[in-house]
Amino acid sequence: MTAWIQEWTPPRPEGTATVRVLCLPYAGGGATRYRTWATAMPPGAELHAVELPGHGRRLPESPAAGLTGILDALTPLAAQPGPPLVLFGHSMGALLAHELCRSLLAYDVTPAALVLSGMSPAHLVDRSVQRALAEDPDALLHHVRELGATPPEVLDAPALRALVLRTMRADLRLLASFPDPSPADPLPAGVPVTALSGQDDGRYPPHAVAAWAAFAARWEGMRTLPGGHFFPWQDDTVPRLVASLAHTAAAATTARPAARPAVPASRLAVKETS
């Protein structure tokens, strides 16, 4: 059991899960954002979402100090034996998913698909803007209100507002710390990489998201969808697309002998009970 990963699909009997989908959060976001995606998943799929310290249910905890600590915690969990793994990340979560994918390769675990949504590669992130927002309390609050992902009543409650701003401050610093990817060392051909963008996303517009193509040996292309920065939650298009990739990964594994034995979901995730 771990606080780092929440499961949003019913537990599967040992050895019966056909694919795992692991979703990583945007700055300030929590695992609950992915809860409704469970209904889109194909039969036999497990839908997991990462809950970072200081986020969601872990809001009272201190945020993670940096990328290394996050990867040190997540990589062994994601690398546990089991069915094929599909990684999805939105905004900051896309950068986390990319780095987690690279970290898993060092464990000799190759994700079946990587979906990078609503985010450019790290070298195009304006690090000075992220740091400036993190250090200016008024600008940070304005930024959080402008994003619109935090309920106004939360920001109007002083104690909750302080926790939310602490988390966002840590996430902006994290955004400024991601290493630049190298075209000389792209993700290998064994990892199909797909990018998604919102056509009206003013933060990370389609041309910035498309820059991921230079860092993937197997580039599956980019889809531009209606909506702004939080386009994955405006309808069921994105969860259905992720489900399609999960179905493909599961079908490919069914067609050949399993390389790794399955692991019970209970060893990986905290099940929603409320």
Side-chain angles (χ1 to χ4, degrees):
M1 302 284 281
T2 172
W4 284 85
I5 297 178
Q6 302 250 336
E7 183 186 2
W8 297 123
T9 42
R12 310 291 179 192
E14 184 173 351
T16 63
T18 58
V19 64
R20 284 180 290 166
V21 177
L22 180 61
C23 299
L24 292 103
Y26 53 80
T32 304
R33 278 296 252 166
Y34 293 103
R35 180 177 184 176
T36 59
W37 290 23
T39 57
M41 294 300 110
E46 296 175 343
L47 177 66
H48 296 166
V50 168
E51 191 82 284
L52 297 174
H55 297 65
R57 289 183 171 184
R58 305 178 71 185
L59 189 61
E61 299 180 35
S62 296
L67 178 61
T68 299
I70 293 172
L71 293 178
D72 285 348
L74 286 180
T75 306
L77 296 172
Q80 289 200 42
L85 178 66
V86 173
L87 295 175
F88 175 91
H90 180 70
S91 197
M92 182 185 77
L95 295 176
L96 284 171
H98 179 262
E99 292 305 311
L100 178 59
C101 183
R102 298 197 67 86
S103 186
L104 286 168
L105 293 171
Y107 275 64
D108 199 29
V109 174
T110 302
L114 172 62
V115 185
L116 304 171
S117 171
M119 174 54 72
S120 70
H123 71 289
L124 296 179
V125 174
D126 192 329
R127 293 180 170 93
S128 62
V129 168
Q130 309 304 323
R131 294 191 187 101
L133 281 172
E135 301 307 321
D136 184 333
D138 291 336
L140 180 60
L141 178 58
H142 176 76
H143 176 68
V144 172
R145 289 190 186 278
E146 187 178 49
L147 285 174
T150 305
E153 57 270 22
V154 172
L155 296 177
D156 291 339
L160 291 176
R161 180 173 66 241
L163 290 174
V164 168
L165 295 183
R166 182 188 67 171
T167 297
M168 184 60 78
R169 184 177 298 110
D171 285 352
L172 292 174
R173 289 170 177 161
L174 181 61
L175 274 171
S177 73
F178 281 91
D180 291 347
S182 170
D185 185 26
L187 292 173
V191 182
V193 180
T194 301
L196 306 175
S197 67
Q199 65 183 18
D200 299 319
D201 188 346
R203 299 183 181 280
Y204 297 99
H207 68 84
V209 179
W212 284 111
F215 308 103
R218 185 175 171 186
W219 176 245
E220 298 291 311
M222 186 183 78
R223 288 189 59 178
T224 300
L225 301 171
H229 187 58
F230 291 106
F231 67 92
W233 288 275
Q234 71 174 19
D235 57 33
D236 66 350
T237 300
V238 174
R240 286 192 294 106
L241 186 150
V242 173
S244 177
L245 293 174
H247 175 77
T248 299
T253 300
T254 302
R256 63 177 184 270
R260 299 187 291 150
V263 65
S266 60
R267 288 175 54 193
L268 301 179
V270 175
K271 188 70 181 75
E272 168 68 11
T273 58
S274 59

